[in-house]
PDB file of all heavy atoms in Angstrom:
ATOM      1  N   HIS A  69     120.704  25.012 112.254  1.00 98.00           N
ATOM      2  CA  HIS A  69     119.365  25.467 112.656  1.00 98.00           C
ATOM      3  C   HIS A  69     118.495  26.008 111.469  1.00 98.00           C
ATOM      4  O   HIS A  69     117.267  25.903 111.554  1.00 98.00           O
ATOM      5  CB  HIS A  69     119.488  26.560 113.738  1.00 98.00           C
ATOM      6  CG  HIS A  69     120.497  27.599 113.332  1.00 98.00           C
ATOM      7  ND1 HIS A  69     121.845  27.358 113.219  1.00 98.00           N
ATOM      8  CD2 HIS A  69     120.272  28.882 112.922  1.00 98.00           C
ATOM      9  CE1 HIS A  69     122.457  28.473 112.839  1.00 98.00           C
ATOM     10  NE2 HIS A  69     121.582  29.395 112.646  1.00 98.00           N
ATOM     11  N   TYR A  70     119.111  26.485 110.417  1.00 98.00           N
ATOM     12  CA  TYR A  70     118.352  26.948 109.244  1.00 98.00           C
ATOM     13  C   TYR A  70     117.669  25.727 108.672  1.00 98.00           C
ATOM     14  O   TYR A  70     116.456  25.744 108.333  1.00 98.00           O
ATOM     15  CB  TYR A  70     119.259  27.570 108.185  1.00 98.00           C
ATOM     16  CG  TYR A  70     119.670  28.954 108.502  1.00 98.00           C
ATOM     17  CD1 TYR A  70     120.905  29.236 109.160  1.00 98.00           C
ATOM     18  CD2 TYR A  70     118.915  30.025 108.166  1.00 98.00           C
ATOM     19  CE1 TYR A  70     121.301  30.560 109.399  1.00 98.00           C
ATOM     20  CE2 TYR A  70     119.315  31.352 108.395  1.00 98.00           C
ATOM     21  CZ  TYR A  70     120.485  31.553 109.044  1.00 98.00           C
ATOM     22  OH  TYR A  70     120.881  32.919 109.249  1.00 98.00           O
ATOM     23  N   TYR A  71     118.408  24.633 108.474  1.00 98.00           N
ATOM     24  CA  TYR A  71     117.904  23.455 107.867  1.00 98.00           C
ATOM     25  C   TYR A  71     116.790  22.851 108.743  1.00 98.00           C
ATOM     26  O   TYR A  71     115.762  22.490 108.253  1.00 98.00           O
ATOM     27  CB  TYR A  71     119.086  22.413 107.734  1.00 98.00           C
ATOM     28  CG  TYR A  71     118.691  21.052 107.237  1.00 98.00           C
ATOM     29  CD1 TYR A  71     118.476  20.828 105.887  1.00 98.00           C
ATOM     30  CD2 TYR A  71     118.613  19.974 108.101  1.00 98.00           C
ATOM     31  CE1 TYR A  71     118.172  19.563 105.420  1.00 98.00           C
ATOM     32  CE2 TYR A  71     118.265  18.740 107.671  1.00 98.00           C
ATOM     33  CZ  TYR A  71     118.006  18.492 106.266  1.00 98.00           C
ATOM     34  OH  TYR A  71     117.723  17.270 105.881  1.00 98.00           O
ATOM     35  N   MET A  72     117.095  22.782 110.028  1.00 98.00           N
ATOM     36  CA  MET A  72     116.112  22.185 110.924  1.00 98.00           C
ATOM     37  C   MET A  72     114.787  22.948 111.044  1.00 98.00           C
ATOM     38  O   MET A  72     113.796  22.528 111.263  1.00 98.00           O
ATOM     39  CB  MET A  72     116.707  22.022 112.359  1.00 98.00           C
ATOM     40  CG  MET A  72     117.934  21.102 112.440  1.00 98.00           C
ATOM     41  SD  MET A  72     117.560  19.401 111.776  1.00 98.00           S
ATOM     42  CE  MET A  72     116.735  18.708 113.257  1.00 98.00           C
ATOM     43  N   SER A  73     114.954  24.336 110.899  1.00 98.00           N
ATOM     44  CA  SER A  73     113.861  25.207 111.008  1.00 98.00           C
ATOM     45  C   SER A  73     113.042  25.353 109.740  1.00 98.00           C
ATOM     46  O   SER A  73     111.913  25.902 109.716  1.00 98.00           O
ATOM     47  CB  SER A  73     114.303  26.617 111.453  1.00 98.00           C
ATOM     48  OG  SER A  73     114.958  26.528 112.676  1.00 98.00           O
ATOM     49  N   HIS A  74     113.559  24.934 108.660  1.00 97.00           N
ATOM     50  CA  HIS A  74     112.832  24.979 107.357  1.00 97.00           C
ATOM     51  C   HIS A  74     112.453  23.601 106.893  1.00 97.00           C
ATOM     52  O   HIS A  74     112.670  23.313 105.676  1.00 97.00           O
ATOM     53  CB  HIS A  74     113.695  25.704 106.286  1.00 97.00           C
ATOM     54  CG  HIS A  74     113.794  27.240 106.512  1.00 97.00           C
ATOM     55  ND1 HIS A  74     112.816  28.049 106.290  1.00 97.00           N
ATOM     56  CD2 HIS A  74     114.805  27.911 107.036  1.00 97.00           C
ATOM     57  CE1 HIS A  74     113.137  29.298 106.595  1.00 97.00           C
ATOM     58  NE2 HIS A  74     114.358  29.255 107.107  1.00 97.00           N
ATOM     59  N   ASP A  75     111.863  22.838 107.751  1.00 97.00           N
ATOM     60  CA  ASP A  75     111.390  21.441 107.424  1.00 97.00           C
ATOM     61  C   ASP A  75     112.391  20.658 106.656  1.00 97.00           C
ATOM     62  O   ASP A  75     112.133  19.955 105.714  1.00 97.00           O
ATOM     63  CB  ASP A  75     110.101  21.569 106.589  1.00 97.00           C
ATOM     64  CG  ASP A  75     109.002  22.331 107.377  1.00 97.00           C
ATOM     65  OD1 ASP A  75     108.971  22.120 108.599  1.00 97.00           O
ATOM     66  OD2 ASP A  75     108.234  23.048 106.794  1.00 97.00           O
ATOM     67  N   LYS A  76     113.672  20.741 107.012  1.00 97.00           N
ATOM     68  CA  LYS A  76     114.806  20.028 106.442  1.00 97.00           C
ATOM     69  C   LYS A  76     114.803  20.183 104.917  1.00 97.00           C
ATOM     70  O   LYS A  76     114.993  19.278 104.153  1.00 97.00           O
ATOM     71  CB  LYS A  76     114.645  18.487 106.844  1.00 97.00           C
ATOM     72  CG  LYS A  76     114.662  18.338 108.345  1.00 97.00           C
ATOM     73  CD  LYS A  76     114.846  16.878 108.665  1.00 97.00           C
ATOM     74  CE  LYS A  76     115.000  16.717 110.208  1.00 97.00           C
ATOM     75  NZ  LYS A  76     115.224  15.326 110.579  1.00 97.00           N
ATOM     76  N   ASP A  77     114.547  21.410 104.508  1.00 97.00           N
ATOM     77  CA  ASP A  77     114.754  21.713 103.060  1.00 97.00           C
ATOM     78  C   ASP A  77     116.212  21.845 102.727  1.00 97.00           C
ATOM     79  O   ASP A  77     116.941  22.586 103.335  1.00 97.00           O
ATOM     80  CB  ASP A  77     114.072  23.059 102.761  1.00 97.00           C
ATOM     81  CG  ASP A  77     114.151  23.448 101.298  1.00 97.00           C
ATOM     82  OD1 ASP A  77     115.045  22.949 100.629  1.00 97.00           O
ATOM     83  OD2 ASP A  77     113.443  24.344 100.879  1.00 97.00           O
ATOM     84  N   PRO A  78     116.722  20.971 101.829  1.00 97.00           N
ATOM     85  CA  PRO A  78     118.178  20.825 101.665  1.00 97.00           C
ATOM     86  C   PRO A  78     118.869  22.105 101.116  1.00 97.00           C
ATOM     87  O   PRO A  78     120.081  22.167 101.286  1.00 97.00           O
ATOM     88  CB  PRO A  78     118.301  19.739 100.570  1.00 97.00           C
ATOM     89  CG  PRO A  78     117.004  19.641  99.938  1.00 97.00           C
ATOM     90  CD  PRO A  78     115.985  20.087 100.930  1.00 97.00           C
ATOM     91  N   LYS A  79     118.164  23.061 100.639  1.00 97.00           N
ATOM     92  CA  LYS A  79     118.857  24.275 100.214  1.00 97.00           C
ATOM     93  C   LYS A  79     119.408  25.053 101.430  1.00 97.00           C
ATOM     94  O   LYS A  79     120.302  25.892 101.243  1.00 97.00           O
ATOM     95  CB  LYS A  79     117.991  25.126  99.287  1.00 97.00           C
ATOM     96  CG  LYS A  79     116.936  25.935 100.016  1.00 97.00           C
ATOM     97  CD  LYS A  79     116.225  26.768  98.912  1.00 97.00           C
ATOM     98  CE  LYS A  79     115.623  28.011  99.469  1.00 97.00           C
ATOM     99  NZ  LYS A  79     114.473  28.411  99.869  1.00 97.00           N
ATOM    100  N   TRP A  80     118.933  24.731 102.592  1.00 98.00           N
ATOM    101  CA  TRP A  80     119.443  25.364 103.830  1.00 98.00           C
ATOM    102  C   TRP A  80     120.485  24.566 104.527  1.00 98.00           C
ATOM    103  O   TRP A  80     120.891  25.014 105.587  1.00 98.00           O
ATOM    104  CB  TRP A  80     118.271  25.619 104.821  1.00 98.00           C
ATOM    105  CG  TRP A  80     117.147  26.436 104.297  1.00 98.00           C
ATOM    106  CD1 TRP A  80     116.032  25.943 103.648  1.00 98.00           C
ATOM    107  CD2 TRP A  80     116.997  27.878 104.435  1.00 98.00           C
ATOM    108  NE1 TRP A  80     115.221  26.996 103.334  1.00 98.00           N
ATOM    109  CE2 TRP A  80     115.727  28.192 103.795  1.00 98.00           C
ATOM    110  CE3 TRP A  80     117.773  28.868 104.893  1.00 98.00           C
ATOM    111  CZ2 TRP A  80     115.299  29.456 103.652  1.00 98.00           C
ATOM    112  CZ3 TRP A  80     117.284  30.165 104.823  1.00 98.00           C
ATOM    113  CH2 TRP A  80     116.074  30.438 104.191  1.00 98.00           C
ATOM    114  N   SER A  81     120.835  23.370 104.028  1.00 98.00           N
ATOM    115  CA  SER A  81     121.832  22.571 104.803  1.00 98.00           C
ATOM    116  C   SER A  81     123.213  23.155 104.554  1.00 98.00           C
ATOM    117  O   SER A  81     123.457  23.830 103.532  1.00 98.00           O
ATOM    118  CB  SER A  81     121.772  21.117 104.277  1.00 98.00           C
ATOM    119  OG  SER A  81     122.441  21.036 103.056  1.00 98.00           O
ATOM    120  N   PRO A  82     124.135  22.893 105.469  1.00 98.00           N
ATOM    121  CA  PRO A  82     125.486  23.479 105.310  1.00 98.00           C
ATOM    122  C   PRO A  82     126.074  23.075 103.990  1.00 98.00           C
ATOM    123  O   PRO A  82     126.572  23.977 103.181  1.00 98.00           O
ATOM    124  CB  PRO A  82     126.284  22.877 106.451  1.00 98.00           C
ATOM    125  CG  PRO A  82     125.219  22.576 107.530  1.00 98.00           C
ATOM    126  CD  PRO A  82     123.969  22.223 106.739  1.00 98.00           C
ATOM    127  N   VAL A  83     126.068  21.770 103.577  1.00 98.00           N
ATOM    128  CA  VAL A  83     126.649  21.418 102.299  1.00 98.00           C
ATOM    129  C   VAL A  83     125.836  21.958 101.172  1.00 98.00           C
ATOM    130  O   VAL A  83     126.389  22.357 100.129  1.00 98.00           O
ATOM    131  CB  VAL A  83     126.830  19.843 102.226  1.00 98.00           C
ATOM    132  CG1 VAL A  83     125.509  19.199 102.267  1.00 98.00           C
ATOM    133  CG2 VAL A  83     127.606  19.441 101.001  1.00 98.00           C
ATOM    134  N   GLY A  84     124.500  22.072 101.362  1.00 98.00           N
ATOM    135  CA  GLY A  84     123.667  22.680 100.293  1.00 98.00           C
ATOM    136  C   GLY A  84     124.064  24.112 100.083  1.00 98.00           C
ATOM    137  O   GLY A  84     124.058  24.528  98.900  1.00 98.00           O
ATOM    138  N   LYS A  85     124.448  24.811 101.090  1.00 98.00           N
ATOM    139  CA  LYS A  85     124.803  26.211 100.977  1.00 98.00           C
ATOM    140  C   LYS A  85     126.219  26.306 100.311  1.00 98.00           C
ATOM    141  O   LYS A  85     126.496  27.215  99.547  1.00 98.00           O
ATOM    142  CB  LYS A  85     124.765  26.938 102.301  1.00 98.00           C
ATOM    143  CG  LYS A  85     123.360  27.200 102.736  1.00 98.00           C
ATOM    144  CD  LYS A  85     123.267  27.822 104.092  1.00 98.00           C
ATOM    145  CE  LYS A  85     123.043  26.829 105.188  1.00 98.00           C
ATOM    146  NZ  LYS A  85     122.611  27.473 106.484  1.00 98.00           N
ATOM    147  N   VAL A  86     127.126  25.375 100.634  1.00 98.00           N
ATOM    148  CA  VAL A  86     128.413  25.374  99.949  1.00 98.00           C
ATOM    149  C   VAL A  86     128.227  25.054  98.484  1.00 98.00           C
ATOM    150  O   VAL A  86     128.850  25.612  97.613  1.00 98.00           O
ATOM    151  CB  VAL A  86     129.365  24.338 100.601  1.00 98.00           C
ATOM    152  CG1 VAL A  86     130.626  24.159  99.846  1.00 98.00           C
ATOM    153  CG2 VAL A  86     129.677  24.717 102.027  1.00 98.00           C
ATOM    154  N   LYS A  87     127.328  24.154  98.211  1.00 98.00           N
ATOM    155  CA  LYS A  87     127.043  23.795  96.816  1.00 98.00           C
ATOM    156  C   LYS A  87     126.649  24.993  95.975  1.00 98.00           C
ATOM    157  O   LYS A  87     127.042  25.227  94.912  1.00 98.00           O
ATOM    158  CB  LYS A  87     125.914  22.700  96.774  1.00 98.00           C
ATOM    159  CG  LYS A  87     125.558  22.341  95.282  1.00 98.00           C
ATOM    160  CD  LYS A  87     124.188  21.720  95.193  1.00 98.00           C
ATOM    161  CE  LYS A  87     123.759  21.747  93.725  1.00 98.00           C
ATOM    162  NZ  LYS A  87     122.606  20.919  93.432  1.00 98.00           N
ATOM    163  N   GLN A  88     125.709  25.817  96.589  1.00 98.00           N
ATOM    164  CA  GLN A  88     125.161  26.974  95.867  1.00 98.00           C
ATOM    165  C   GLN A  88     126.139  28.144  95.792  1.00 98.00           C
ATOM    166  O   GLN A  88     125.880  29.121  95.108  1.00 98.00           O
ATOM    167  CB  GLN A  88     123.909  27.415  96.554  1.00 98.00           C
ATOM    168  CG  GLN A  88     122.755  26.365  96.506  1.00 98.00           C
ATOM    169  CD  GLN A  88     121.567  26.763  97.421  1.00 98.00           C
ATOM    170  OE1 GLN A  88     120.802  27.626  97.081  1.00 98.00           O
ATOM    171  NE2 GLN A  88     121.574  26.202  98.635  1.00 98.00           N
ATOM    172  N   THR A  89     127.241  28.021  96.536  1.00 98.00           N
ATOM    173  CA  THR A  89     128.205  29.170  96.529  1.00 98.00           C
ATOM    174  C   THR A  89     129.530  28.735  95.968  1.00 98.00           C
ATOM    175  O   THR A  89     129.782  28.880  94.796  1.00 98.00           O
ATOM    176  CB  THR A  89     128.347  29.713  97.929  1.00 98.00           C
ATOM    177  OG1 THR A  89     128.765  28.654  98.842  1.00 98.00           O
ATOM    178  CG2 THR A  89     127.052  30.337  98.459  1.00 98.00           C
ATOM    179  N   ILE A  90     130.391  28.136  96.831  1.00 98.00           N
ATOM    180  CA  ILE A  90     131.731  27.829  96.425  1.00 98.00           C
ATOM    181  C   ILE A  90     131.811  26.766  95.240  1.00 98.00           C
ATOM    182  O   ILE A  90     132.571  26.887  94.275  1.00 98.00           O
ATOM    183  CB  ILE A  90     132.552  27.315  97.616  1.00 98.00           C
ATOM    184  CG1 ILE A  90     132.714  28.459  98.670  1.00 98.00           C
ATOM    185  CG2 ILE A  90     133.905  26.722  97.242  1.00 98.00           C
ATOM    186  CD1 ILE A  90     133.610  29.547  98.224  1.00 98.00           C
ATOM    187  N   TRP A  91     130.993  25.747  95.404  1.00 98.00           N
ATOM    188  CA  TRP A  91     131.044  24.734  94.337  1.00 98.00           C
ATOM    189  C   TRP A  91     130.645  25.340  93.009  1.00 98.00           C
ATOM    190  O   TRP A  91     131.224  24.942  91.987  1.00 98.00           O
ATOM    191  CB  TRP A  91     130.117  23.536  94.649  1.00 98.00           C
ATOM    192  CG  TRP A  91     130.524  22.639  95.771  1.00 98.00           C
ATOM    193  CD1 TRP A  91     131.641  22.736  96.581  1.00 98.00           C
ATOM    194  CD2 TRP A  91     129.792  21.506  96.266  1.00 98.00           C
ATOM    195  NE1 TRP A  91     131.648  21.790  97.491  1.00 98.00           N
ATOM    196  CE2 TRP A  91     130.547  20.994  97.386  1.00 98.00           C
ATOM    197  CE3 TRP A  91     128.620  20.879  95.883  1.00 98.00           C
ATOM    198  CZ2 TRP A  91     130.129  19.871  98.107  1.00 98.00           C
ATOM    199  CZ3 TRP A  91     128.207  19.751  96.610  1.00 98.00           C
ATOM    200  CH2 TRP A  91     128.968  19.295  97.706  1.00 98.00           C
ATOM    201  N   GLU A  92     129.646  26.162  92.999  1.00 97.00           N
ATOM    202  CA  GLU A  92     129.204  26.790  91.758  1.00 97.00           C
ATOM    203  C   GLU A  92     130.288  27.604  91.184  1.00 97.00           C
ATOM    204  O   GLU A  92     130.539  27.625  89.916  1.00 97.00           O
ATOM    205  CB  GLU A  92     127.974  27.693  91.979  1.00 97.00           C
ATOM    206  CG  GLU A  92     126.649  26.995  91.840  1.00 97.00           C
ATOM    207  CD  GLU A  92     126.423  26.191  90.662  1.00 97.00           C
ATOM    208  OE1 GLU A  92     126.026  26.771  89.585  1.00 97.00           O
ATOM    209  OE2 GLU A  92     126.680  25.013  90.677  1.00 97.00           O
ATOM    210  N   MET A  93     131.033  28.359  92.050  1.00 98.00           N
ATOM    211  CA  MET A  93     132.100  29.214  91.565  1.00 98.00           C
ATOM    212  C   MET A  93     133.162  28.269  90.907  1.00 98.00           C
ATOM    213  O   MET A  93     133.755  28.645  89.832  1.00 98.00           O
ATOM    214  CB  MET A  93     132.756  29.933  92.738  1.00 98.00           C
ATOM    215  CG  MET A  93     131.756  30.978  93.250  1.00 98.00           C
ATOM    216  SD  MET A  93     132.564  31.836  94.710  1.00 98.00           S
ATOM    217  CE  MET A  93     131.208  32.746  95.265  1.00 98.00           C
ATOM    218  N   ILE A  94     133.504  27.168  91.539  1.00 97.00           N
ATOM    219  CA  ILE A  94     134.574  26.292  90.981  1.00 97.00           C
ATOM    220  C   ILE A  94     134.095  25.625  89.761  1.00 97.00           C
ATOM    221  O   ILE A  94     134.814  25.575  88.716  1.00 97.00           O
ATOM    222  CB  ILE A  94     134.977  25.262  92.105  1.00 97.00           C
ATOM    223  CG1 ILE A  94     135.651  25.981  93.256  1.00 97.00           C
ATOM    224  CG2 ILE A  94     135.915  24.219  91.487  1.00 97.00           C
ATOM    225  CD1 ILE A  94     135.900  25.120  94.433  1.00 97.00           C
ATOM    226  N   ARG A  95     132.809  25.190  89.730  1.00 97.00           N
ATOM    227  CA  ARG A  95     132.297  24.396  88.579  1.00 97.00           C
ATOM    228  C   ARG A  95     132.271  25.326  87.371  1.00 97.00           C
ATOM    229  O   ARG A  95     132.520  24.934  86.234  1.00 97.00           O
ATOM    230  CB  ARG A  95     130.855  23.939  88.935  1.00 97.00           C
ATOM    231  CG  ARG A  95     130.337  22.847  88.038  1.00 97.00           C
ATOM    232  CD  ARG A  95     129.001  22.299  88.546  1.00 97.00           C
ATOM    233  NE  ARG A  95     127.922  23.291  88.420  1.00 97.00           N
ATOM    234  CZ  ARG A  95     127.168  23.539  87.331  1.00 97.00           C
ATOM    235  NH1 ARG A  95     127.282  22.794  86.351  1.00 97.00           N
ATOM    236  NH2 ARG A  95     126.248  24.453  87.339  1.00 97.00           N
ATOM    237  N   LYS A  96     131.870  26.609  87.602  1.00 97.00           N
ATOM    238  CA  LYS A  96     131.738  27.502  86.431  1.00 97.00           C
ATOM    239  C   LYS A  96     133.006  28.303  86.213  1.00 97.00           C
ATOM    240  O   LYS A  96     133.045  29.300  85.494  1.00 97.00           O
ATOM    241  CB  LYS A  96     130.595  28.496  86.606  1.00 97.00           C
ATOM    242  CG  LYS A  96     129.257  27.717  86.676  1.00 97.00           C
ATOM    243  CD  LYS A  96     128.126  28.728  86.676  1.00 97.00           C
ATOM    244  CE  LYS A  96     126.716  27.961  86.477  1.00 97.00           C
ATOM    245  NZ  LYS A  96     125.577  28.814  86.701  1.00 97.00           N
TER     246      LYS A  96
END
Side-chain angles (χ1 to χ4, degrees):
Chain A
H69 48 289
Y70 282 95
Y71 175 80
M72 298 303 279
S73 301
H74 287 283
D75 299 325
K76 302 193 176 182
D77 179 342
K79 78 176 205 261
W80 301 90
S81 79
V83 64
K85 288 178 265 193
V86 173
K87 177 201 166 168
Q88 296 168 79
T89 55
I90 295 290
W91 290 1
E92 272 308 278
M93 293 178 188
I94 294 172
R95 196 173 68 87
K96 296 188 171 168

